[in-house]
Every structure is written in structure tokens, then in C-alpha cells.
């Protein structure tokens, strides 16, 4: 039986076990929306802005490991999705973005709502396609899902002219996918693994440094075994939090620009650095000329292009994190060698001296609400069990520092691109994926207003998010940099006019609570969590002068932190 291109798209989504598609209709995709109307297997979530669709699909993908799927129309629909596509690309998130296009005969004629979606998105996708024949739809979708989810994951755009979605052909979905030009390496080189294990066991001041690749590669269990076998300290990037339990004594917390003193000093002084699923981002390394000056560096990554891109490494291992960690663990089991116990004990003594600095201390007795206090109490009230999304800024750093993540895929934030407006739509995607879990969005009054309209989406689909708005009346991280590096010239960083968020939440049909005293923080959090089936917007009025510490200034090394 022949199907239209639009119907074939739906069948492709069914074949890939897609639960939700996040989208917004328009003329170029109306055939596809009509096909959605005729079936019930794949659910469509109507957002209020295409950027919200991409972030919601992103949050769904990060919290499940499955690719998120987006459907937008041509022209402004596609361009509105660009920020979300770039966000997913920077953080290696699997996503399929279906963009409508004008009919084939009109492409290149500056037709109504025509843009070159393939050209625009080429720098920010893992791959993209323009479908020119209805017979190619099934093959392209199979390729798109394969490319998006294998190797280093990432977003894939499929641009489909409207007339292709109306044309008919038989539907045959490929069972397997082999692409000669795309064959990611899975297994690490045995010789390099043996060499790495020898170096690891010879270390006197070792550090394990892991990133988001461990979570994306589902290697958390193997990482925990590896770290426990060795007894070495471990630090994690912003994107890697939760791969190893924050509550474990071997965890030194987050490293980098706003990382802990013990993590950064451990990195700077280590003699062997074991980097797994991390890309040596500039927010992690600080000044590259001062980075890990004494270390032999082992780097495990699925993407060969990431190895020695920013930092030259001594032992490169290309392969899937879970496979390489399994090989590491087998090698450690089979060898008679053990770590240098006396050297490691001495190293831990030094690390614990650094740890005693208590670099995350702040005034816990302040009558004014401290943002750190809100996150600490949020952790206590939830017992660390919530899925937490965040926007970008000081509140993001406070959440990373003070909410201890013990499990992977519970911390969802925009790391590489740093996208304000990400938090609430990402929380929507995570809540749809985990309807029985508590999902909380940590945000600020500047970030939340970028996608505030998605409060309507939350109401329409009954998503009981808890929004923790750390409201200091300014773009906190911008203000902090202006304080430190621009002689307190606060140029356009303060929000002189902002809405009454309590009333705004209520206008959308949700519960709003405004909190102005420290003594009311815990009762407000408990009240919000008790309202299991309602979205609650908690507007915490926090200290405007509070800064994120520690902080590494631009151009400084990891050992040159500002602590107070």
C-alpha cells in the first residue's frame, strides 16, 4: 500500500520507538500535522515557541538517552530552532530536527517562508539532509537516527519540501544501516589500553577527570568500578556531574572556573591525569600554558577529533567510554600490580588539606536569602532525588556546587553554548519522560523570561514542574564580571523592570509563591513539593551582591583561584 510522505514520516517515527515529538505547526508541515491527527502512537507536544521545542527535546534526550525529536515549519520556524540545535550540538545531545521546506520548484526563488535550512544549520549539526524524493524518506530517517545516536552523539536536521510530504510511495523501513563514510570506532586499541594501565598503576599523584561523555556513553557503572578499584580521587566537569556519586569521599566535586579548590589544585599538581569522556573545555583548563604542568595525560574519547585538540595528550585512546572502561577494569583484575599505596596515601593527605579550606563556605546565618542556601535546602528537602535542570548564570553554578548529584541523567543544563532560556523547556522534556519523578528547574529572573511562554505548555499538558527562581534583580554572572573586571561599571546588567512572577504564574493557571526571608525557604520548598500535580513557581528574592566562588579569572591557571 502506498503512503504519502507525511504518513511515511509518522511510520519512521514509530519504527524508531519515538514517544514524543515537540513542535509548532506552519504551512510547510501541514501535511505532516494532518498525518499526526490520524494516529495516536506518537504524541505531539505543542510548544509556544520553536526554541522551546528544541530545548524540550534536548531535556528529554539528556534524561533518557533516547534521541529527542522536533518538528518545525520552514523559514522562521527553522531559524527559531537554531539556538536549540546549537545547544544540543555543543553538548553532544542526540536530536532529530524535522524542518519543513517550500515545494521543490520554489527552492531558491525567495519564496514565502523560505530559508536555506541546510546551509544555516550545517555548522551546528552532526549531519543534515534535504530530501528531494519521497522514496528517500525512510532511508534518510534511518540514517539520521543512526548518525545522531552513534559515535559522538549530536543533532541531525532533515529538511523536507512540502510537495515531498504530499507525494506517495511504498513504505519500507531499512532494518539495518551501514554507511561506508561513517563508521565510528567502538573498541579502544589494546596496546594503548595496556600502556595506559601501566601508567595509571605507576602514578603517585593521580587524578581521574571525567566529563559528559561518560553519561552520554552510559559508562557510569563502569566508571564507579574503575574509580573504586584504584582508590584515586575523581573530579567531574559541569556536564559530567552524577556519573560518580558526589557524596562519595573520593569525589572532589566539580573542577574548572567555578570548581572546588581541592579539585583544581589536585588537577594542577597531579602526575597522571586520566581524562575520560571530556574535551578539555576552556572553562575547565584555564590558561592552557599552565594546565597540568607535571602530568602524563591519558585521554579516552569516542571522537578522535577531540583528542589533542586543546591539550596535547600522551596516551590517546579512541573508543566508546563503556567499552574502554570495561577493558581497563578487566586489565586491573588480571594484573598482579596494585597502586603505590604509600604514595597514594600521601597524595590523599595533601588533597584533604586542600579540602579543609572549605571553599564553598558562605554566610549561612544571613537574614537576606543567600542563593547557596536555597540550593542546599532544596537538596535536603528532596534528599538529592530530583531531576534538576538549570538555565545559565550564577544560579547554574550554585546548583552545580551545592546540589550533590549521585546518579547520572539527573542534572540537565546547557554547558557548551550557555543558553539562557534552556531550563524550563528542558524540564518539560524531562518531566514527560519521567512523569513520576520530581523535576525542578533552577533559574534566574533574566533567564526564565526568555522562554516564559512555555508556562502555557506546562499547563496544557499538566506538567507539575517546580521552578526555583533565584531572583536577584540582575544578570548575576554579568554583574559579577563587571564587579571584578570592569571597575563596577554595571552596564545594562540590572533588570529595572520585571514582572510579579507570583501573579504571572497564577495568570497561566499555576501556583506562585514569593519568598523574601531565609526562615521561609524550607517551608516554601516543602509546600511546593507537596503539591504533586501542580506547577509551582517559587520566586526567591536573593542577595544581589552574592558572587560565585571559587573563581578562576581569565588567563589564570587552575592554582590561581579567587576564593573570597
Amino acid at each position: 500500500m502506498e503512503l504519502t510522505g507525511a504518513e511515511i514520516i509518522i511510520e519512521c517515527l514509530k519504527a524508531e520507538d519515538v514517544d514524543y515529538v515537540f513542535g509548532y505547526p506552519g504551512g510547510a508541515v501541514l501535511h505532516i500535522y494532518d498525518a499526526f491527527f490520524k494516529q495516536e502512537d506518537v504524541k505531539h507536544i505543542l510548544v509556544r515557541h520553536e526554541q522551546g521545542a528544541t530545548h524540550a527535546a534536548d531535556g528529554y534526550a539528556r534524561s533518557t538517552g533516547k534521541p529527542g525529536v522536533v518538528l518545525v515549519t520552514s523559514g522562521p520556524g527553522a531559524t527559531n530552532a537554531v539556538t536549540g540545535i546549537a545547544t544540543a550540538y555543543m553538548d553532544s545531545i542526540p536530536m532529530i530536527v524535522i524542518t519543513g521546506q517550500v515545494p521543490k520548484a520554489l527552492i531558491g526563488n525567495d519564496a514565502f517562508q523560505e530559508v536555506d535550512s541546510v546551509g544555516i544549520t550545517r555548522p551546528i549539526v552532526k549531519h543534515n539532509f534535504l530530501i528531494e524524493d519521497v522514496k528517500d524518506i525512510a532511508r534518510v530517517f534511518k540514517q539520521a537516527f543512526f548518525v545522531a545516536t552513534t559515535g559522538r552523539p549530536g543533532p541531525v536536521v532533515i529538511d523536507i519540501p512540502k510537495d515531498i510530504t504530499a507525494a506517495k510511495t511504498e513504505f519500507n523501513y531499512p532494518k539495518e544501516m551501514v554507511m561506508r563514510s561513517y563508521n565510528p570506532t567502538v573498541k579502544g586499541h589494546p596496546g594503548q589500553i595496556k600502556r595506559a594501565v601501566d601508567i595509571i598503576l605507576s602514578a603517585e599523584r593521580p587524578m581521574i577527570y571525567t566529563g559528559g561523555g561518560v553519561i552520554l556513553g552510559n559508562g557510569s557503572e563502569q566508571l564507579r568500578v574503575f574509580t573504586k578499584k584504584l582508590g584515586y580521587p575523581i573530579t567531574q566537569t559541569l556536564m559530567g556531574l552524577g556519573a560518580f556519586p558526589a557524596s562519595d569521599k573520593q569525589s572532589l566535586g566539580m573542577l574548572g572556573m567555578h570548581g572546588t579548590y581541592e579539585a583544581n589544585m589536585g588537577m594542577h599538581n597531579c602526575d597522571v591525569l586520566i581524562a575520560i569522556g571530556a574535551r578539555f573545555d576552556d572553562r575547565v583548563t584555564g590558561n592552557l600554558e599552565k594546565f597540568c604542568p607535571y602530568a602524563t595525560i591519558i585521554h579516552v574519547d569516542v571522537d578522535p577529533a577531540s583528542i589533542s585538540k586543546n591539550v596535547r595528550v600522551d596516551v590517546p585512546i579512541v573508543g566508546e567510554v563503556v567499552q574502554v572502561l570495561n577493558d581497563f577494569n578487566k586489565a586491573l583484575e588480571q594484573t598482579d600490580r596494585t597502586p603505590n599505596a604509600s604514595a597514594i596515601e600521601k597524595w590523599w593527605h595533601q588533597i584533604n588539606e586542600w579540602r579543609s579550606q572549605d571553599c564553598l563556605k558562605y554566610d549561612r546565618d544571613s537574614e537576606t536569602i543567600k542563593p547557596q542556601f536555597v540550593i542546599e535546602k532544596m537538596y535536603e528537602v528532596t534528599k538529592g532525588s530530583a531531576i534538576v535542570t538549570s538555565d545559565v548564570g550564577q544560579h547554574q553554578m550554585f546548583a552545580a556546587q551545592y546540589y550533590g548529584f549521585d546518579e547520572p541523567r539527573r542534572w540537565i543544563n546547557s554547558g557548551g553554548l550557555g543558553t539562557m532560556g534552556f531550563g524550563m523547556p528542558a524540564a518539560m522534556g524531562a518531566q514527560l519522560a519521567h512523569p513520576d519523578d520530581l523535576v525542578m528547574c533552577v533559574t534566574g529572573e533574566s533567564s526564565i523570561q526568555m522562554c516564559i511562554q512555555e508556562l502555557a505548555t506546562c499547563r496544557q499538558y499538566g506538567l507539575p514542574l517546580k521552578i526555583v527562581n533565584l531572583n536577584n534583580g540582575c544578570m548575576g554572572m554579568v554583574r559579577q564580571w563587571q564587579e571584578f573586571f570592569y571597575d563596577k561599571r554595571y552596564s545594562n546588567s540590572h533588570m529595572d523592570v520585571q514582572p510579579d512572577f507570583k501573579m504571572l504564574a497564577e495568570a497561566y493557571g499555576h501556583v506562585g509563591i514569593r519568598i523574601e526571608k531565609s526562615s521561609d525557604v524550607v517551608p516554601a520548598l516543602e509546600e511546593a513539593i507537596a503539591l504533586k500535580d501542580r506547577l509551582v513557581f517559587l520566586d526567591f528574592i536573593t542577595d544581589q551582591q552574592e558572587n560565585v566562588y571559587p573563581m578562576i579569572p581569565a588567563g589564570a591557571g587552575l592554582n590561581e583561584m579567587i576564593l573570597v
Side-chain angles (χ1 to χ4, degrees), residues 433-451:
H434 305 277
D436 297 326
D437 285 12
L438 173 63
V439 179
M440 305 184 77
C441 170
V442 177
T443 186
E445 80 295 326
S446 302
S447 284
I448 191 66
Q449 294 187 76
M450 291 207 171
C451 283

Side-chain angles (χ1 to χ4, degrees), residues 100-116:
Q101 185 53 273
V102 299
K104 276 180 62 181
L106 296 179
I107 292 176
N109 289 350
D110 293 332
F112 177 67
Q113 291 192 333
E114 180 195 358
V115 297
D116 179 6

Side-chain angles (χ1 to χ4, degrees), residues 9 56 83 125 142 261 295 305 331 343 368 388 412 498 504 528:
I9 290 169
T83 297
V125 294
K142 185 68 175 181
Y261 184 69
T368 304
V388 180
I412 297 169
Q498 58 174 301
L504 183 60

Side-chain angles (χ1 to χ4, degrees), residues 30 58 61 72 252 269 271 472 490 522 563:
L30 285 184
D58 189 321
V72 297
L252 306 190
N269 290 281
D271 69 341
N472 61 4
Y490 299 120
V522 171
L563 295 180

Side-chain angles (χ1 to χ4, degrees), residues 384-545:
S385 64
I387 295 175
V388 180
T389 73
S390 85
D391 272 299
V392 172
Q394 286 184 325
H395 57 270
Q396 177 188 27
M397 295 299 108
F398 289 134
Q401 291 175 330
Y402 293 92
Y403 197 99
F405 295 94
D406 282 350
E407 298 296 331
R409 300 194 185 279
R410 311 295 287 184
W411 168 235
I412 297 169
N413 74 117
S414 170
L417 197 64
T419 307
M420 295 172 69
F422 174 85
M424 184 169 61
M428 290 166 20
Q431 187 74 82
L432 283 161
H434 305 277
D436 297 326
D437 285 12
L438 173 63
V439 179
M440 305 184 77
C441 170
V442 177
T443 186
E445 80 295 326
S446 302
S447 284
I448 191 66
Q449 294 187 76
M450 291 207 171
C451 283
I452 193 79
Q453 67 275 6
E454 299 306 334
L455 283 172
T457 308
C458 293
R459 177 63 174 169
Q460 180 170 340
Y461 296 98
L463 303 178
L465 309 180
K466 314 306 174 195
I467 297 173
V468 176
N469 187 38
L470 302 181
N471 186 346
N472 61 4
C474 64
M475 300 174 216
M477 192 61 81
V478 174
R479 185 208 58 76
Q480 178 170 333
W481 276 61
Q482 289 172 336
E483 176 185 335
F484 286 3
F485 309 119
Y486 295 88
D487 294 328
K488 298 184 178 180
R489 294 187 295 273
Y490 299 120
S491 176
N492 292 284
S493 56
H494 287 65
M495 290 288 173
D496 295 329
V497 175
Q498 58 174 301
D500 182 325
F501 287 106
K502 177 181 182 297
M503 293 182 66
L504 183 60
E506 291 170 350
Y508 276 102
H510 303 301
V511 177
I513 305 174
R514 181 181 171 94
I515 307 95
E516 300 184 51
K517 296 188 298 183
S518 291
S519 57
D520 292 334
V521 168
V522 171
L525 287 166
E526 290 176 338
E527 179 183 351
I529 293 168
L531 294 170
K532 295 184 182 297
D533 60 346
R534 298 294 302 278
L535 183 148
V536 183
F537 195 113
L538 295 152
D539 188 23
F540 292 97
I541 309 304
T542 62
D543 186 349
Q544 188 174 88
Q545 302 306 312

Side-chain angles (χ1 to χ4, degrees), residues 66-87:
K66 296 174 62 177
V69 181
V70 176
L71 173 60
V72 297
T73 194
S74 63
T79 57
N80 281 348
V82 164
T83 297
I85 296 170
T87 300

